[in-house]
């Protein structure tokens, strides 16, 4: 569990000091409850240093916990064996005060007891949750307790008190605790309660900010048939979680029959921003008897959608390759679709690279970037023709060119790339030049990295430092090269003396 133990410990200290529960803990956040559960035990066991000065001094200097807390029948004087034991008895006395005692409300004392390191204290505190519904989250956590008596009693109590309203409110926490080794009971109980709930009571879970909650809610709604195909299609279209998109899109299409109105399902899917939803809609065009509409998605911005569109078009008896070639035939056409360029590369042959090379001069940067990516896809990279594109004013073109040239980094002119590291160059060009020089390695890569150690660009400077630290001499690095020793000495601050000596030894240099 990724609980923030530090914030949970802080909340525990505030409760011990008398802060009301609702102020110390964010009761609406499931992470706050799981962190609080861990934090209380950490504080009561080891966290005396986190207590306020007066309380800490009283606990550590006294021989009993009673010096820091009023004596009651529930807190008899006991000999102290160590600091953590004194702290635990001191805090226990604080939350075992009678309900009317000042300085700490009953809910705070009960919350501390429900998270106490002693299982007998946790078990005894379970019944108190009936009077304080705000503490139901801690009852949920105790259903996964490692102590069997605590766990069984908590499960019995939660089974009696968990109604639909509470289940909807506690669903995020139950799903979070359900990931634990003993958390299956809560998931099963939540599932059984929500399956009996009316449809409108589950709607808040469909728009919950937590992806895990939405996934659980939609799986439940799909299994129970609570949403129509049109509603599922709309959910798939606007939800930003890929799992929910797939669940709802697949369920919406699976529920359709030949006589149904496909428009209420297809239109939301085809208009969705998510490639996952659009691809499902495009694939369904064949089943809906509308394969001709898949043609417009052959130039979609998503590779997944383009692939699905080509599948539908081919199944309809049309080869998409001539269609792509026709749209890339005129390099002077300012309306060349970028998707047609990369689509031609995805389904074309190496000879189709001749249609793409002229498009490197196209005025649209996105088209030029797709041309470079397409040439790389067709394995038709020409270093001499692509190298000038490192100076392209469009960062996207520079990035694609760099990716295409990386396999040939060892053959590129190092002088030209070094000149591109100049501070006068645009940042994308400098980054591209360093990527290529760093991929080349050897003395050339080390020289480029050391040159950027004082660069004003923070990210480039940090990248250069990491490159120097990871540098090792290659097979083409001359042994005993004095320049290597000089460059390593300039980067001395990045190494310990031992590591620097090892690097020089690897390069054939004496210490």
């Amino acid at each position: 569990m990724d609980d923030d133990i530090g914030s949970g410990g802080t909340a525990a200290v505030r409760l011990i000091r008398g802060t009301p529960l609702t102020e110390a803990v964010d009761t609406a956040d499931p992470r706050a409850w799981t962190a609080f559960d861990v934090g209380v035990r950490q504080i009561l066991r080891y966290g005396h240093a986190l207590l306020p000065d007066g309380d800490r001094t009283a606990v550590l200097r006294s021989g009993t916990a009673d010096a820091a807390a009023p004596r009651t029948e529930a807190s008899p004087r006991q000999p102290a064996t160590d600091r953590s034991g004194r702290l635990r008895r001191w805090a226990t006395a604080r939350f075992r005060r009678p309900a009317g005692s000042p300085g700490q409300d009953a809910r705070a004392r009960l919350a501390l007891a429900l998270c106490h390191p002693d299982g007998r204290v946790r078990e005894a505190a379970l019944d108190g949750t009936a009077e304080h519904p705000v503490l139901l989250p801690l009852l949920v956590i105790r259903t996964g307790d490692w102590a069997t008596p605590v766990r069984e009693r908590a499960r019995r109590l939660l089974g009696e008190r968990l109604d639909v309203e509470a289940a909807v409110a506690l669903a995020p926490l139950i799903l979070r605790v359900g990931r634990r080794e003993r958390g299956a009971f809560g998931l099963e109980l939540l599932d059984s309660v929500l399956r009996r709930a009316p449809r409108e009571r589950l709607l808040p879970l469909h728009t919950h900010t937590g992806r895990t909650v939405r996934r659980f809610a939609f799986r439940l709604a799909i299994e129970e048939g609570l949403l129509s195909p049109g509603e599922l299609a709309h959910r798939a279209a606007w939800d930003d979680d890929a799992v929910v998109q797939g669940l709802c899109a697949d369920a919406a299409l699976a529920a359709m029959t030949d006589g149904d109105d496909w428009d209420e399902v297809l239109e939301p899917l085809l208009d969705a921003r998510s490639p996952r939803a659009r691809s499902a809609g495009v694939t369904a065009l064949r089943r809906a008897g509308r394969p001709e509409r898949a043609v417009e998605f052959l130039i979609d911005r998503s590779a997944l959608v383009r692939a699905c569109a080509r599948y539908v078009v081919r199944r309809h008896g049309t080869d998409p390759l001539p269609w792509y070639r026709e749209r890339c035939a005129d390099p002077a056409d300012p309306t060349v679709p970028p998707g047609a360029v990369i689509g031609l590369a995805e389904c074309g042959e190496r000879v189709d690279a001749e249609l793409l090379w002229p498009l490197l001069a196209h005025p649209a940067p996105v088209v030029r970037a797709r041309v470079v990516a397409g040439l790389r896809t067709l394995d038709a990279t020409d270093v001499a023709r692509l190298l000038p594109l490192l100076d392209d004013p469009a960062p996207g073109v520079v990035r694609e060119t760099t990716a295409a040239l990386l396999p040939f980094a060892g053959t590129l002119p190092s002088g030209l790339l070094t000149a591109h590291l100049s501070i006068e160059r645009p940042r994308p060009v400098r980054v591209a030049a360093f990527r290529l020089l760093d991929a080349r390695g050897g003395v050339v890569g080390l020289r480029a990295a050391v040159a950027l150690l004082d660069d004003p660009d923070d990210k480039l400077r940090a990248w250069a430092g990491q490159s120097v630290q990871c540098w090792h001499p290659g097979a083409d690095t001359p042994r005993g090269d004095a320049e290597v020793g000089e460059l390593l000495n300039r980067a001395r601050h990045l190494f310990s003396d031992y590591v620097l000596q090892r690097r020089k030894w690897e390069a054939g240099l004496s210490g």
Side-chain angles (χ1 to χ4, degrees):
M1 302 292 287
D2 53 340
D3 302 319
D4 185 356
I5 298 176
S7 64
T10 301
V13 171
R14 295 185 66 192
L15 281 185
I16 293 174
R17 297 181 65 180
T19 303
L21 176 66
T22 53
E23 296 180 15
V25 181
D26 183 0
T27 56
D29 186 359
R31 294 173 299 179
W33 284 111
T34 52
F36 174 75
D37 175 50
V38 178
V40 169
R41 288 191 298 280
Q42 295 293 323
I43 288 296
L44 295 186
R45 282 175 175 157
Y46 319 112
H48 46 76
L50 300 179
L51 293 173
D53 293 340
D55 293 338
R56 181 172 66 247
T57 301
V59 171
L60 299 182
R61 291 185 178 178
S62 65
T64 67
D66 304 276
R71 293 183 60 187
T72 66
E73 293 182 0
S75 59
R77 184 178 296 273
Q78 300 178 16
T81 57
D82 52 33
R83 291 183 173 185
S84 61
R86 291 197 296 270
L87 174 65
R88 190 180 309 170
R89 289 192 296 274
W90 170 81
T92 302
R94 291 290 295 263
F95 62 69
R96 281 182 173 177
R97 292 180 188 174
S101 41
Q104 195 175 45
D105 65 82
R107 293 181 302 179
R109 294 196 301 276
L110 189 58
L112 290 170
L114 287 167
C115 305
H116 196 275
D118 191 332
R120 291 165 296 185
V121 177
R122 295 197 303 275
E123 182 182 8
L126 290 173
D127 290 331
T129 57
E131 302 175 6
H132 304 285
V134 71
L135 295 179
L136 272 179
L138 292 178
L139 182 61
V140 171
I141 294 175
R142 294 281 70 83
T143 60
D145 198 280
W146 59 93
T148 302
V150 179
R151 183 171 65 248
E152 292 180 349
R153 189 168 184 177
R155 290 178 176 181
R156 178 177 58 80
L157 293 173
L158 184 64
E160 296 172 355
R161 298 170 189 169
L162 191 69
D163 54 16
V164 174
E165 182 178 359
V168 171
L170 293 174
L173 178 61
I174 294 175
L175 293 171
R176 185 176 181 82
V177 175
R179 305 200 303 251
R180 294 179 173 176
E181 180 181 358
R182 304 175 183 88
F185 171 84
L187 295 177
E188 295 171 359
L189 180 61
L190 178 68
D191 183 83
S192 64
V193 171
L194 293 183
R195 285 185 187 276
R196 303 192 300 267
R199 177 180 182 275
E200 59 274 9
R201 301 297 295 273
L202 301 180
L203 294 180
L205 297 180
H206 296 163
T207 57
H208 197 276
T209 55
R211 292 178 299 176
T212 304
V213 177
R214 296 202 305 277
R215 293 172 185 177
F216 177 86
F218 280 117
R219 286 191 180 103
L220 187 65
I222 292 170
E223 292 174 4
E224 295 296 314
L226 300 179
L227 297 175
S228 67
E231 290 175 317
L232 288 170
H234 280 90
R235 303 288 185 181
W238 64 254
D239 200 286
D240 59 357
D241 180 47
V243 175
V244 172
Q245 294 164 9
L247 280 173
C248 293
D250 293 344
L253 295 174
M256 297 298 292
T257 60
D258 294 338
D260 292 335
D261 182 10
W262 281 88
D263 287 336
E264 67 170 354
V265 172
L266 289 178
E267 293 306 323
L269 293 178
L270 295 176
D271 293 337
R273 295 183 59 186
S274 160
R276 183 78 173 265
R278 286 203 311 280
S279 64
V282 170
T283 306
L285 287 173
R286 175 173 171 265
R287 182 181 163 201
R290 307 176 188 180
E292 66 282 351
R293 191 175 174 186
V295 174
E296 65 185 84
F297 293 94
L298 289 172
I299 57 173
D300 193 272
R301 61 184 181 273
S302 167
L304 174 63
V305 177
R306 292 194 300 270
C308 292
R310 289 194 293 269
Y311 162 77
V312 174
V313 169
R314 287 191 182 105
R315 298 291 291 184
H316 188 50
T318 304
D319 185 2
L321 184 55
W323 188 92
Y324 281 125
R325 287 171 174 167
E326 180 182 351
R327 274 144 189 81
C328 298
D330 185 6
D333 183 5
T335 63
V336 173
V341 174
I342 190 64
L344 173 60
E346 289 169 343
C347 69
E349 303 171 354
R350 292 195 69 180
V351 295
D352 291 310
E354 297 304 320
L355 289 174
L356 297 183
W357 282 112
L359 290 170
L360 286 176
H362 197 275
V366 64
V367 172
R368 297 198 301 275
R370 291 300 180 95
V371 169
V372 177
L375 291 170
R376 180 160 58 96
T377 301
L378 291 171
D379 194 20
T381 302
D382 186 330
V383 174
R385 299 172 73 175
L386 289 182
L387 198 57
L389 291 177
L390 288 177
D391 293 314
D392 195 281
V397 178
V398 176
R399 285 193 297 269
E400 289 292 349
T401 303
T402 306
L405 293 177
L406 276 175
F408 311 95
T411 64
L412 301 178
S414 59
L416 176 66
L417 295 179
T418 302
H420 280 63
L421 293 177
S422 172
I423 192 66
E424 288 80 18
R425 298 277 186 170
R427 187 179 187 278
V429 174
R430 302 182 71 217
V431 170
F434 182 64
R435 284 184 65 189
L436 293 171
L437 289 169
D438 185 50
R440 180 168 182 167
V443 180
V444 173
L446 180 62
R447 187 188 303 132
V450 172
L452 294 177
L453 290 180
D454 297 324
D455 197 86
D457 188 311
D458 292 340
K459 292 185 177 180
L460 201 54
R461 184 173 63 249
W463 186 10
Q466 294 172 353
S467 177
V468 172
Q469 289 175 324
C470 296
W471 182 87
H472 292 272
D476 58 343
T477 304
R479 290 189 61 79
D481 190 339
E483 184 185 5
V484 172
E486 180 183 349
L487 292 172
L488 290 175
N489 285 333
R490 287 174 58 186
R492 179 183 296 272
H493 61 284
L494 297 175
F495 300 100
S496 67
D497 292 340
Y498 172 76
V499 173
L500 180 61
Q501 184 178 6
R502 291 283 301 180
R503 290 291 188 278
K504 289 184 176 181
W505 177 81
E506 291 176 15
L509 299 166
S510 60

